[in-house]
């Protein structure tokens, strides 16, 4: 087959001269007509370059190239947006659309790893099978998109068992055969509770010289008994520190006894840590508990969210008075 037949025609496919010796071919998302090892060749006696300096035309471009693997080649990176805590009356959506490095040909497999409920109880087999069926339908070979699976996993308001924590394994395989996996956890509340999500990433990196701001986004319960009611919310932040023992190399965790030493306000929707308060080379885990004022002390009536923060050293900036100098 000719190269033009392989790569397709405009506007789905276009070519761009990047330099005097390089052509970049732009293909549509999900294109599968070219694989590793495919040879792409220029048509002889077709492409010439005009050299203005001598008012001459070059010889005709010729030759070709074999398609190779990306260099460097990385495994797919899984990025999932979801609320870890699900209100008693709310549906649940896990969306992995922002995942990348899969070559626009992702294959999704969703698997139920485990279920643990309040009081060490287990949901009925019918309930677990319903969850497995939803995951199978969204995976490769499922009824929704059998060739690729889906990057979205959706549960209705009654698909998950109240008071249970579900661990879901997402497996992603890219165009080049490399795979990545990530375990996701979601908690179905046993009682109506506020729906909380973090506006920040669940894991982020900062430096000592920056102000750290962690912001929550809260929505009311979708239960009919609370719809339209104005419920007073209550917030409480806490924290843990994880360091590496310099002698043994083991990780050591400790609770921050008084978080107000780092952040003056720990009972608001956001946590603000001033610059130079965090220690470099340390991993912090900040947890926010959000609940209604009237049910704050009721077990399992609050929603918990966490953010992991890695702290790097502040960059060192040097200003040389009088400009640059050369030292022999």
């Amino acid at each position: 087959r000719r190269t033009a037949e392989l790569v397709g025609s405009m506007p789905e496919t276009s070519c761009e001269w990047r330099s005097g010796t390089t052509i970049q071919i732009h293909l549509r998302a999900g294109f599968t007509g070219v694989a590793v090892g495919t040879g792409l060749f220029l048509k002889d006696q077709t492409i010439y370059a005009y050299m203005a300096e001598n008012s001459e035309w070059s010889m005709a471009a010729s030759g070709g190239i074999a398609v190779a693997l990306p260099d460097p080649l990385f495994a797919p990176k899984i990025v999932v947006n979801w609320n870890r805590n699900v209100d008693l009356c709310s549906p649940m959506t896990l969306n992995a659309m922002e995942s990348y490095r899969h070559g626009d040909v992702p294959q999704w497999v969703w698997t139920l790893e485990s279920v643990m409920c309040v009081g060490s109880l287990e949901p009925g087999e019918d309930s677990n099978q319903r969850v497995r069926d939803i995951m199978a339908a969204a995976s490769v070979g499922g009824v929704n998109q059998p060739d690729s699976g889906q990057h979205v996993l959706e549960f209705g308001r009654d698909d998950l068992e109240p008071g249970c924590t579900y661990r879901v394994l997402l497996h992603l395989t890219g165009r080049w055969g490399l795979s990545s996996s990530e375990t996701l956890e979601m908690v179905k509340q046993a009682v109506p509770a506020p729906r909380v999500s973090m506006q920040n990433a669940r894991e982020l990196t900062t430096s000592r010289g920056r102000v750290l701001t962690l912001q929550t986004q809260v929505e009311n319960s979708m239960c009919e008994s609370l719809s339209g009611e104005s419920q007073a919310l209550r917030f409480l932040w806490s924290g843990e520190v994880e360091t590496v023992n310099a002698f043994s190399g083991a990780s050591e965790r400790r609770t921050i006894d008084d978080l107000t030493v780092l952040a003056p306000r720990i009972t608001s929707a956001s946590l603000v840590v001033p610059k130079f308060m965090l220690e470099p080379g340390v991993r912090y885990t900040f947890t926010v508990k959000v609940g209604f004022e009237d049910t704050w002390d009721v077990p399992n009536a609050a929603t918990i969210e966490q953010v992991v923060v890695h702290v790097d050293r502040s960059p060192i900036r040097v200003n040389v008075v009088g400009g640059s100098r050369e030292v022999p």
Side-chain angles (χ1 to χ4, degrees):
R1 296 173 63 186
R2 298 177 181 177
T3 294
E5 295 175 341
L6 286 174
V7 299
S9 57
M10 295 182 67
E12 289 82 6
T13 301
S14 62
C15 297
E16 176 186 3
W17 281 99
R18 302 296 294 176
S19 70
T21 57
T22 303
I23 296 178
Q24 183 171 344
I25 303 175
H26 300 273
L27 305 172
R28 70 178 187 277
F31 180 84
T32 57
V34 174
V36 174
T38 300
L40 302 178
F41 295 89
L42 296 172
K43 184 178 180 180
D44 280 338
Q45 309 300 317
T46 302
I47 300 176
Y48 298 83
Y50 178 71
M51 297 175 288
E53 183 177 350
N54 297 318
S55 298
E56 297 177 348
W57 289 91
S58 71
M59 298 177 61
S62 63
I65 190 172
V67 177
L69 289 169
D71 184 20
L73 180 61
F74 297 105
K77 176 63 176 179
I78 297 176
V79 180
V80 185
N81 293 315
W82 90 106
N83 289 336
R84 179 179 178 274
N85 301 277
V86 191
D87 173 46
L88 174 64
C89 305
S90 299
M92 176 65 174
T93 300
L94 297 90
N95 191 333
M97 182 179 63
E98 295 182 7
S99 301
Y100 55 96
R101 294 205 299 243
H102 47 59
D104 282 330
V105 188
Q107 291 188 318
W108 308 94
V109 177
W110 302 86
T111 307
L112 178 63
E113 274 196 339
S114 65
V115 184
M116 182 177 296
C117 303
V118 176
S120 299
L121 300 177
E122 292 187 5
E125 183 55 33
D126 290 344
S127 175
N128 284 346
Q129 189 57 49
R130 179 173 63 248
V131 172
R132 293 191 187 98
D133 290 343
I134 293 173
M135 294 182 179
S139 299
V140 173
V143 296
N144 296 341
Q145 294 185 23
D147 293 335
S148 63
Q150 292 180 305
H151 64 266
V152 174
L153 184 65
E154 296 179 305
F155 297 96
R157 58 177 288 174
D158 299 321
D159 288 332
L160 302 177
E161 198 73 16
C164 294
T165 299
Y166 293 80
R167 290 176 62 86
V168 177
L169 177 66
L170 173 57
H171 187 81
L172 171 59
T173 301
R175 178 193 292 265
W176 318 115
L178 298 184
S179 301
S180 298
S181 298
E182 185 166 338
T183 298
L184 314 168
E185 188 174 274
M186 52 187 182
V187 180
K188 180 71 170 181
Q189 301 286 4
V191 296
R195 294 173 291 159
V196 182
S197 60
M198 298 299 303
Q199 294 187 354
N200 311 81
R202 283 187 169 85
E203 187 165 352
L204 55 90
T205 301
T206 187
S207 63
R208 292 194 70 233
R210 294 181 179 178
V211 176
L212 174 65
T213 301
L214 304 178
Q215 181 69 48
T216 61
Q217 180 175 332
V218 183
E219 298 179 35
N220 200 4
S221 169
M222 294 186 68
C223 294
E224 289 79 0
S225 61
L226 296 177
S227 60
E229 294 187 13
S230 179
Q231 294 278 328
L233 292 173
R234 186 172 172 182
F235 299 83
L236 182 62
W237 292 84
S238 59
E240 284 187 344
V241 179
E242 182 176 343
T243 57
V244 177
N245 189 295
F247 298 99
S248 64
S251 296
E252 299 177 348
R253 299 179 65 120
R254 64 176 177 83
T255 301
I256 301 175
D257 296 327
D258 185 3
L259 189 57
T260 57
V261 173
L262 298 180
R265 299 185 61 187
I266 62 172
T267 57
S268 61
S270 60
L271 182 74
V272 180
V273 181
K275 59 176 64 175
F276 305 121
M277 297 301 296
L278 301 176
E279 293 297 322
V282 172
R283 176 174 133 160
Y284 292 84
T285 301
F286 294 104
T287 302
V288 60
K289 175 183 177 182
V290 185
F292 296 124
E293 188 73 45
D294 295 340
T295 58
W296 181 258
D297 296 322
V298 176
N300 304 310
T303 302
I304 305 294
E305 269 291 357
Q306 289 185 329
V307 177
V308 175
V309 179
H310 302 270
V311 183
D312 290 338
R313 296 186 181 276
S314 300
I316 298 176
R317 294 180 175 85
V318 178
N319 294 322
V320 179
V321 178
S324 62
R325 293 178 174 84
E326 291 185 2
V327 180

